[in-house]
Amino acid sequence: MTRFTVNGRAVDTAVAPTTRLSAALRDDLGLTGTKVGCNAGDCGACTILLDGAPVCSCLMAVGQAEGAKITTIEGLHADGTIARLQDSFLAHGAAQCGICTPGMLVSASALLAANPAPDRAAVEDALGGVLCRCTGYNKIIDAVLALSGPVAAAVTPAAGANVGSAIRHLDGQPKVDGTLCYGADRVPADALAVRVIRCPHHHARFVIGDKSGFVAATPGIHAVLDAGDIPGRNCFGVIPPFADQPVFAEKTALYRGDAVAAIVGDAAVVAAFDEADFPISWDPLETMLTPDAALAATAPRLHDNRAGNILVRGYVECGDPDRALAGAAHRVEIETSTPFIEHAYIEPEAGYAQREGNRLVIYGCTQAAQMDRESLADIMGLDLEAIRVMPSACGGGFGSKLDVSFQPYVALAAWMLGRPARICYSRSESMRASTKRHPSSIRLTVGADETGRISGFVFDGVFNTGAYASWGPTVANRVPIHACGPYFTPDYRANSVAVHTNAPPAGAFRGFGVPQSAVAQELAYDRLADNLGMDRLAFRRLNALKNDMPTVTGQVFASGVGIDDCLAALEGRWHDALQAAETFNKTAK
Ligand code: FES
Ligand code: FES
């Protein structure tokens, strides 16, 4: 028995002393305001106060808390300690998805208890152990600093006058008091746990051994699920004509992380299960991790219906770009490449499913409840009306939670076993299984005339779309529409291609490929402006689209084209920065 106090209440707990304190607080005491993002001391979402000092509760064993005074977000909220801080977070927009907010508030409360008027450096230092993927930190830091002065009042929206105003989120209060429920925060009492078995190779054939013998020989494991158990279609994808990802791979896995089976059982057994004990044999195959490898004439085809491993091509052309480039006074040719980027939302994929007669209820984090519903109906072979998706709060998604992830596994387990089934990905599983930003390789040639007007633009982009389609068609098709940026480009050609490889599926991530192409385009414009001897901002303002100018697809906006206003707003700071750089360079000499 371990004894401590939590939020002023004496607790005697019989959980194993080696249990993570975060797990004991959440699972045994129901204090789910303490979040878990990594279970490794990296994200700080699990921060609590231990005898007044902030600590990561995922790194503490229950036994280490013997005799301690523990305070969680619930305790700080209940006694009003952080009321002004919470109000300031709401006023500054410092709680966006909100998954990091309890950790931020707990850490800030410790700082303010010791130093009621901290400076910016002190706030940055105190919050440095808590990661936020949404806010960029400044709003959080400003919210804490504002405690030394008056906190901004709530803004009442007035039609037509709200651009730039900080409006309090309608769902803000539960984010700052720790009561908002995310995917892992609600678990039916008798839920079984599900764990997905994933391919450890980039590309491999596999054979699953004796499932029933394994279940019989493993107390606490109730079932093994694989492709043969799918009652409907073993396939999902966000764009139905391109859907190609199996819930469970059949015979061949296409990337390191591809799901091949799942075990369902008692939570403690599933959590402690060593995947080396799962009956499966692997036969690694030739691996193609780059588009160059996948486009080689001898490369194996990953999908039978996609010749050359090409998922899709995109193309936009207007005017005569070759003639314009040939006549340009200045030309710049560049090549850029950008890597895979992990979304790294603080909340890993989590949720549960429950069978209610001939209906399935799925609860958990998602960005696309209706698309999940359609996919699940297809996978489960059920009518749409038989699927109910209840989205939890979403602790960051940035595009990746538009794709189905955990939902089919819990749905299948709950349907087959007649008991609720839950899952919560570990941080490493989330990173292995989820989609990424598409890596890109871009070649770009841009010209300008003597006055600095863009004269010819030719773009070729190759995007590594990974093993399955996900949002690859959208990325490959959208990039040619946007590759010139918000600039008037009358002579233009852009080609793009999304290529399958044995890398993780690349999908949606804020901008659908546009950030990758903007790296190339903006870099080229800097060089063109330099070649012209022209101020870089002036070059952009000269070429910025205005009302009534056609885009490269011929679209004409009669009003609302705001890029030049945005660039004009930068003038003061831009010239200050140039001045500062000039002064620095002179001093450095
Ligand atoms: S630091 Fe504990 S969950 Fe990330
Ligand atoms: S608000 Fe910080 S991670 Fe979303």
Side-chain angles (χ1 to χ4, degrees):
M1 193 70 79
T2 307
R3 295 184 171 83
F4 43 70
T5 67
V6 179
N7 301 330
R9 182 167 67 91
V11 171
D12 285 357
T13 179
V15 302
T18 51
T19 306
R20 291 175 195 267
L21 184 56
S22 52
L25 291 170
R26 290 175 52 82
D27 302 341
D28 299 291
L29 300 176
L31 296 169
T32 54
T34 298
K35 306 302 180 191
V36 172
C38 68
N39 252 340
D42 292 323
C43 74
C46 63
T47 303
I48 56 154
L49 298 181
L50 190 83
D51 295 327
V55 297
C56 288
S57 57
C58 74
L59 291 186
M60 276 202 75
V62 164
Q64 292 175 296
E66 173 70 37
K69 186 178 154 207
I70 293 167
T71 310
T72 69
I73 182 71
E74 289 90 345
L76 293 171
H77 170 67
D79 68 13
T81 308
I82 55 168
R84 287 190 72 237
L85 189 58
Q86 290 168 313
D87 199 40
S88 188
F89 264 56
L90 295 176
H92 285 84
Q96 292 188 13
C97 83
I99 192 82
C100 70
T101 306
M104 290 289 182
L105 288 166
V106 169
S107 299
S109 76
L111 168 70
L112 293 168
N115 177 5
D119 61 16
R120 196 167 194 91
V123 176
E124 289 174 359
D125 193 41
L127 302 184
V130 188
L131 300 182
C132 176
R133 285 288 282 161
C134 303
T135 63
Y137 299 103
N138 280 332
K139 291 176 181 200
I140 296 171
I141 294 165
D142 290 345
V144 178
L145 288 170
L147 266 284
S148 312
V151 174
V155 173
T156 304
N162 280 291
V163 175
S165 61
I167 299 170
R168 293 179 184 228
H169 291 194
L170 291 174
D171 60 350
Q173 187 59 41
K175 291 176 181 169
V176 297
D177 62 29
T179 57
L180 193 62
C181 273
Y182 296 82
D185 292 344
R186 192 181 290 173
V187 184
D190 57 342
L192 293 167
V194 180
R195 176 135 146 222
V196 181
I197 307 295
R198 298 184 181 278
C199 180
H201 306 282
H202 293 299
H203 191 194
R205 265 191 293 269
F206 62 90
V207 177
I208 295 175
D210 178 7
K211 286 166 48 179
S212 48
F214 166 75
V215 172
T218 316
I221 298 293
H222 298 219
V224 170
L225 310 175
D226 65 11
D229 296 306
I230 305 284
R233 184 171 170 234
N234 183 22
C235 182
F236 63 88
V238 286
I239 306 173
F242 292 92
D244 58 2
Q245 186 159 357
V247 176
F248 295 116
E250 300 176 27
K251 298 186 181 152
T252 304
L254 298 189
Y255 76 100
R256 201 159 71 93
D258 218 352
V260 298
I263 58 170
V264 188
D266 300 338
V269 175
V270 169
F273 182 72
D274 182 348
E275 285 187 26
D277 295 334
F278 187 74
I280 190 166
S281 59
W282 299 101
D283 175 17
L285 300 169
E286 180 184 345
T287 292
M288 304 170 297
L289 290 178
T290 64
D292 280 351
L295 291 170
T298 55
R301 196 186 281 195
L302 292 189
H303 297 274
D304 290 342
N305 60 344
R306 291 181 189 148
N309 291 315
I310 291 171
L311 168 64
V312 72
R313 292 181 186 275
Y315 166 69
V316 169
E317 181 164 353
C318 67
D320 188 342
D322 299 317
R323 189 173 54 86
L325 279 176
H330 299 274
R331 277 168 65 128
V332 165
E333 295 181 25
I334 60 167
E335 292 186 13
T336 59
S337 63
T338 55
F340 276 111
I341 299 177
E342 160 68 29
H343 300 69
Y345 24 79
I346 303 296
E347 181 201 29
E349 295 79 354
Y352 71 82
Q354 190 162 309
R355 183 171 183 166
E356 295 178 355
N358 283 326
R359 296 189 77 212
L360 259 173
V361 176
I362 296 96
Y363 170 89
C365 55
T366 177
Q367 289 180 264
Q370 184 58 27
M371 285 163 60
D372 293 352
R373 192 168 168 241
E374 289 164 4
S375 292
L376 288 166
D378 211 20
I379 292 164
M380 297 304 299
L382 294 170
D383 291 340
L384 201 56
E385 290 67 33
I387 306 285
R388 182 180 181 203
V389 172
M390 298 192 334
S392 66
C394 187
F398 317 126
S400 191
K401 288 180 185 170
L402 289 166
D403 289 72
V404 164
S405 58
F406 71 91
Q407 296 89 343
Y409 308 113
V410 289
L412 188 58
W415 189 256
M416 286 180 61
L417 298 174
R419 276 179 64 178
R422 73 166 306 213
I423 205 166
C424 182
Y425 285 7
S426 66
R427 173 56 45 188
S428 61
E429 182 175 19
S430 174
M431 294 178 83
R432 280 172 75 194
S434 62
T435 61
K436 313 288 174 233
R437 184 184 288 288
H438 283 74
S440 70
S441 301
I442 291 170
R443 279 187 291 121
L444 174 61
T445 306
V446 195
D449 66 17
E450 290 289 5
T451 68
R453 291 199 183 275
I454 293 165
S455 172
F457 187 112
V458 174
F459 173 103
D460 275 293
V462 180
F463 291 83
N464 183 344
T465 206
Y468 299 109
S470 181
W471 291 91
T474 310
V475 168
N477 277 309
R478 194 168 294 189
V479 164
I481 296 170
H482 295 292
C484 60
Y487 304 101
F488 180 57
T489 315
D491 298 292
Y492 175 85
R493 180 168 63 246
N495 281 288
S496 66
V497 60
V499 182
H500 282 300
T501 66
N502 293 118
F509 193 165
R510 287 185 169 176
F512 285 106
V514 175
Q516 292 95 312
S517 60
V519 167
Q521 168 257 306
E522 293 293 350
L523 182 60
Y525 287 7
D526 277 352
R527 293 193 184 165
L528 260 185
D530 293 350
N531 289 354
L532 282 150
M534 199 171 170
D535 175 75
R536 292 175 174 186
L537 184 58
F539 176 84
R540 286 167 170 83
R541 291 199 64 189
L542 178 70
N543 287 289
L545 273 172
K546 316 276 186 325
N547 290 342
D548 299 320
M549 286 180 170
T551 68
V552 292
T553 56
Q555 193 169 13
V556 177
F557 294 95
S559 64
V561 180
I563 184 62
D564 191 45
D565 290 342
C566 294
L567 295 173
L570 290 175
E571 287 279 4
R573 290 189 188 192
W574 170 250
H575 291 292
D576 289 350
L578 286 181
Q579 189 68 49
E582 199 174 319
T583 307
F584 176 81
N585 287 338
K586 276 186 192 152
T587 316
K589 280 177 195 161

